[in-house]
Amino acid sequence: MRAMAITYVIPVGVAILVYVSLHLLLLYTHNKREPPLLETSIPFVSPIIGLNRKKTNYYVMLRDKYNLPIYTLRIPGSKLYVVNSPALISAIQRQYRTLAFMPIVAKASINVSRFSKTASEIIILNSNGDDGYWGYIMTFHDAVAPSLVPGADLDGMNRAMLKLVAVSLNRLREQAATNVKLFGWVRHQMTLATTSAAYGPSNPYKDPTVEAAFWTFKAGMSQLILDFLPTWTASEAVTALDFSASAFENYFRDDDHAKGSALVQARYKHSIDHHMPLNDIARSEFANGVALLGNTVPNTFWMLYHVYSDPSVLEDCRKELSDMVAHSDNAEGTRLRTIDMSKVKTSCPIFLSTFKEVLRLYSTSVSARLVMEDHMLDNQYLLKKGSTVLMPSPVQHHNATVWGENHNIFNHRRFIASATGKRPSPAGFRAFGGGTTLCPGRHFASTEILAFTAVMLLQFDIKPKTGHWPKSPKTKAEFWEATSSPKDDFEVEIRPIESEVMDRDWAFTLSDLDQPIELSAEDLPLTEM
Ligand code: HEM
Ligand SMILES: *[C@@H]1O[C@H](CO)[C@@H](O)[C@H](O)[C@H]1NC(C)=O
Ligand SMILES: *[C@@H]1O[C@H](CO)[C@@H](O)[C@H](O)[C@H]1NC(C)=O
C-alpha cells in the first residue's frame, strides 16, 4: 500500500514541479510590454497540440476566446506573436525591414531545395538588405515580378495557358462521358496547362515521371522546410527532388527555356547573374512548382465543387458567362465559340464573387515575419528580436463584424457590392497575403482558374458517382500551405451538355489590354472588395 502510494506520489510530484517551473520560466522570460501571454493549460505544449489538431482554426478559436488585438504564444524554442487586429497588420507590413520576410524565405528555400553549399551562401548573402539593395534574395522580387504584372509578358503566358486548356477540353468533349476522381483530374489538367505555359514546348512536366515526382516532393515539404532529418522522414520527396533536378538541368542546358515564358527566363537570368550553379538553378526551379501549382489546383477544385454542387450557383454563373460567348466560323468551316477572358473579368460579377468567396473560405495562409531587432510596434507592443510574427488569414476571413454572422457559410454573391453594402478593411482579405510580399502570381492564377472553370461549366455537366455531392467536404492543409485541399477525393462523371453539338470548338481570347481584377486591397480601385 505504502509502496504504491510512493510510486504515485513521486511522478505526480515531479509533474507538479515541472509544471510550476515551466510557468515560472514563461513569466520570467516575458516582458510586461510584450503582447499579452495566453495562459494555456500546459505551458509550451498546449499550443502545439492545439495547432496540430485544429490547424489554422486554432488561431480563430483563440481570437474568439480572448479577443485580443495581438498576443504571445510560446512553443519550445520559439516565441510567436499572433496578430488579430487589421490595424496592427498594416503597421507590421510597413516595417518590412525590421519585421522581415526575406530571411525566412532564404532559410526555407535552402531547406526545401537542398541547395549546395555554394548556392546556400549565395542565397543567405545580405538576404535582408542590411548592406544595401543587392544580393540574390533582396533583388529577386524586382527581377521576376515584371513578368507577372498585367502586361505583354503576362498576356503571353496566359494566352499559352488558355490555348492548352481549350485543346484539352475540346478533346474531352469528344467523349460521351468520362469517369474520374475530381481532385486528381483537376490536378492533372492544371499541372499540364500551367507548366506548359511556363516552360514552353520542352516542358519537363510532359514526362509523367516528373509530374508524379512533383506531387511526391510536395507531400514531403513539411519535413523538408523544418529540415527534420528529411533523408529519413521524407526520403521519397528527396529522391523525387534529385530526380527532377536532373530533368530541369537538361532543360536549361539545352536552352529550352528560350522557348518558355518570360517568367522562367527572368528567373534563370537572375540565378545566372548571381553565379548560381546549374544543378541548384534546376532544384530551385522545380521547388518553385509549389508557388506555381500549390494554390491554383485546390482553388480550381473548390470552384468546380461549389458551382456544380449548388444548382442556383451553376445557373447564375452559366447565365452570366453565356452572354460573353461569341459565335463565328473558322477557315475550315468549324463553328467556333470564343470567350474573351478580359471581358469575363469585367462583366461577370456573380462569377467573380464566387471566386473571391472560394479564396476567402479556403485560405489557410499564415503570413510570417521575423523580428530582426527589438521593436516597439505602433508605440504599444514590444516585439523581441528573434521572435516570429504571425498573421493568419482565417482570423480576418472569419470576422463577423466584416462578413456577418454567416461568415462560415459559402455565399456566392457575398462579394457583389450592392448585396452587402459593406466592405472589409484593406487588411481584411488576405488570400494573397499583403504588403511587400503580396503574391505576385495572383493575376496569372486568377485568369487560369476563372478560364478553366468558365469553359467547364459552359460545356460540361459534372455529377458525383454516388448521386449526391458530399456536404462540406473535410479539408486538409499543412502548416505552410495557403489553401486547403479536400481530405478525400471522390468520383464524378463529366459529360458534355446535350445541346453542345460536336461541330463546335472553343477558343479563348484575351483583349489586347487585359485588365487586372481587384484581388486585394493593393489592387486599385478598392471599390468592391
Ligand atoms: C490562387 C493562387 C495563389 C494563392 C492563393 C497564392 C497565395 C500567396 C500567399 C498567401 C503568399 C504569401 C504572402 C505573404 O506571406 O505575405 C504568396 C506569395 C507568393 N506567391 Fe502566390 N499564390 C497563388 C498563386 C501563385 C502563382 C501562380 C505564382 C507564380 C507564378 C505565385 C508566386 C508567389 C511568390 C513568388 C510569392 C512570394 C512573394 C515574395 O517573395 O515577395 N503565387 N502567394
Ligand atoms: C531550416 O533548417 C534548420 C535546421 O537545419 C532549422 O533550424 C530552420 O528553422 C529551418 N528553416 C525554416 C525556415 O524552417
Ligand atoms: C473585425 O474587423 C473590424 C474592422 O476591421 C475590427 O475593428 C475588429 O477588431 C475585428 N474583430 C475582431 C474580433 O478581430
Side-chain angles (χ1 to χ4, degrees):
M1 194 64 196
R2 199 124 159 242
M4 212 162 111
I6 286 170
T7 52
Y8 280 113
V9 165
I10 290 176
V12 168
V14 169
I16 291 173
L17 198 66
V18 169
Y19 182 80
V20 170
S21 31
L22 283 178
H23 260 292
L24 287 176
L25 178 66
L26 271 187
L27 293 177
Y28 187 70
T29 54
H30 189 81
N31 188 310
K32 280 223 154 50
R33 291 178 301 161
E34 286 181 76
L37 185 64
L38 291 195
E39 357 109 21
T40 48
S41 44
I42 317 168
F44 296 101
V45 177
S46 296
I48 300 259
I49 296 174
L51 280 169
N52 245 318
R53 274 214 204 122
K54 311 241 163 183
K55 310 286 176 190
T56 43
N57 281 337
Y58 185 60
Y59 300 118
V60 181
M61 220 188 72
L62 291 180
R63 191 271 314 271
D64 292 344
K65 188 163 171 196
Y66 297 97
N67 205 13
L68 293 164
I70 182 170
Y71 56 88
T72 305
L73 268 190
R74 298 293 296 272
I75 57 174
S78 296
K79 197 176 248 184
L80 308 174
Y81 303 125
V82 185
V83 190
N84 291 331
S85 148
L88 287 180
I89 289 178
S90 302
I92 288 162
Q93 287 179 168
R94 283 194 297 270
Q95 302 294 328
Y96 53 87
R97 194 53 62 72
T98 314
L99 308 174
F101 182 55
M102 290 309 157
I104 300 177
V105 173
K107 285 193 191 125
S109 69
I110 290 170
N111 291 2
V112 163
S113 303
R114 300 176 65 72
F115 283 135
S116 68
K117 191 159 171 289
T118 310
S120 304
E121 284 166 8
I122 292 170
I123 296 272
I124 282 294
L125 202 63
N126 194 35
S127 65
N128 200 35
D130 294 333
D131 297 330
Y133 181 77
W134 57 271
Y136 187 95
I137 289 280
M138 199 58 218
T139 57
F140 182 80
H141 188 96
D142 288 347
V144 169
S147 59
L148 286 167
V149 298
D153 284 347
L154 178 63
D155 286 354
M157 189 159 71
N158 272 331
R159 288 200 173 99
M161 173 270 293
L162 294 174
K163 208 164 133 189
L164 290 154
V165 169
V167 168
S168 167
L169 295 187
N170 282 336
R171 202 177 299 144
L172 182 70
R173 204 160 35 85
E174 286 159 15
Q175 294 158 27
T178 312
N179 291 301
V180 290
K181 287 201 160 174
L182 186 58
F183 186 79
W185 182 78
V186 168
R187 194 170 91 166
H188 177 63
Q189 296 291 324
M190 299 307 273
T191 302
L192 278 190
T194 312
T195 56
S196 292
Y199 298 113
S202 305
N203 174 19
Y205 281 82
K206 279 188 183 166
D207 175 356
T209 330
V210 173
E211 185 189 348
F214 176 76
W215 298 104
T216 305
F217 167 69
K218 184 184 164 270
M221 276 287 281
S222 296
Q223 292 90 323
L224 286 168
I225 292 177
L226 300 173
D227 201 24
F228 184 64
L229 304 173
T231 46
W232 194 60
T233 57
S235 62
E236 288 179 358
V238 172
T239 311
L241 169 63
D242 292 344
F243 167 80
S244 307
S246 66
F248 272 90
E249 215 179 315
N250 291 336
Y251 172 83
F252 288 118
R253 192 176 289 119
D254 295 345
D255 251 352
D256 289 334
H257 55 279
K259 291 168 278 157
S261 62
L263 169 70
V264 167
Q265 291 173 23
R267 259 198 314 245
Y268 179 74
K269 180 175 182 302
H270 186 72
S271 295
I272 290 289
D273 287 349
H274 287 84
H275 311 292
M276 187 79 100
L278 189 62
N279 182 263
D280 294 288
I281 297 179
R283 289 174 172 275
S284 157
E285 192 56 57
F286 179 66
N288 189 73
V290 172
L292 209 53
L293 300 165
N295 299 295
T296 309
V297 168
N299 275 307
T300 308
F301 169 86
W302 294 119
M303 273 299 271
L304 293 180
Y305 169 77
H306 281 287
V307 170
Y308 282 103
S309 64
D310 184 338
S312 71
V313 182
L314 183 61
E315 198 191 315
D316 282 350
C317 292
R318 267 190 184 152
K319 197 151 160 273
E320 269 187 356
L321 289 164
S322 305
D323 291 343
M324 299 293 117
V325 179
H327 302 245
S328 62
D329 293 334
N330 71 4
E332 291 90 53
T334 312
R335 294 175 64 189
L336 197 65
R337 293 176 155 210
T338 309
I339 184 161
D340 182 347
M341 283 312 298
S342 312
K343 241 168 99 187
V344 167
K345 289 193 276 177
T346 52
S347 311
C348 297
I350 303 180
F351 186 53
L352 282 191
S353 171
T354 307
F355 175 51
K356 288 177 185 172
E357 181 70 339
V358 162
L359 290 170
R360 181 186 75 87
L361 263 187
Y362 295 95
S363 173
T364 55
S365 120
V366 181
S367 299
R369 302 288 185 267
L370 191 63
V371 184
M372 305 305 287
E373 53 196 54
D374 284 7
H375 177 76
M376 278 306 280
L377 177 64
D378 213 25
N379 293 320
Q380 292 185 68
Y381 300 101
L382 173 65
L383 307 181
K384 301 278 279 184
K385 177 179 176 175
S387 312
T388 306
V389 177
L390 297 179
M391 298 170 276
S393 69
V395 166
Q396 302 306 324
H397 295 183
H398 291 274
N399 176 329
T401 316
V402 175
W403 307 105
E405 288 305 325
N406 66 355
H407 59 83
N408 279 326
I409 292 169
F410 187 89
N411 171 5
H412 73 296
R413 291 170 171 262
R414 187 184 296 279
F415 284 85
I416 300 172
S418 55
T420 61
K422 246 197 244 165
R423 47 188 140 102
S425 81
F429 185 81
R430 294 187 57 81
F432 292 101
T436 51
T437 62
L438 180 66
C439 174
R442 64 194 182 285
H443 301 298
F444 175 67
S446 303
T447 302
E448 179 169 28
I449 296 166
L450 292 171
F452 189 83
T453 315
V455 188
M456 277 305 292
L457 65 95
L458 284 171
Q459 294 188 86
F460 299 97
D461 282 321
I462 302 184
K463 294 208 162 58
K465 211 56 199 279
T466 58
H468 52 263
W469 289 93
K471 265 215 157 79
S472 11
K474 283 204 166 58
T475 62
K476 61 171 185 193
E478 295 288 314
F479 71 89
W480 54 270
E481 288 189 284
T483 309
S484 61
S485 295
K487 202 163 183 186
D488 307 301
D489 206 352
F490 51 88
E491 263 197 82
V492 296
E493 184 196 80
I494 304 178
R495 185 183 275 281
I497 299 173
E498 297 265 314
S499 59
E500 283 299 305
V501 290
M502 297 301 294
D503 64 345
R504 285 178 188 162
D505 263 344
W506 279 81
F508 297 99
T509 59
L510 276 179
S511 306
D512 273 347
L513 240 184
D514 188 40
Q515 292 295 318
I517 50 173
E518 337 148 5
L519 294 164
S520 73
E522 281 90 340
D523 291 324
L524 296 169
L526 198 62
T527 42
E528 279 187 24
M529 289 299 290

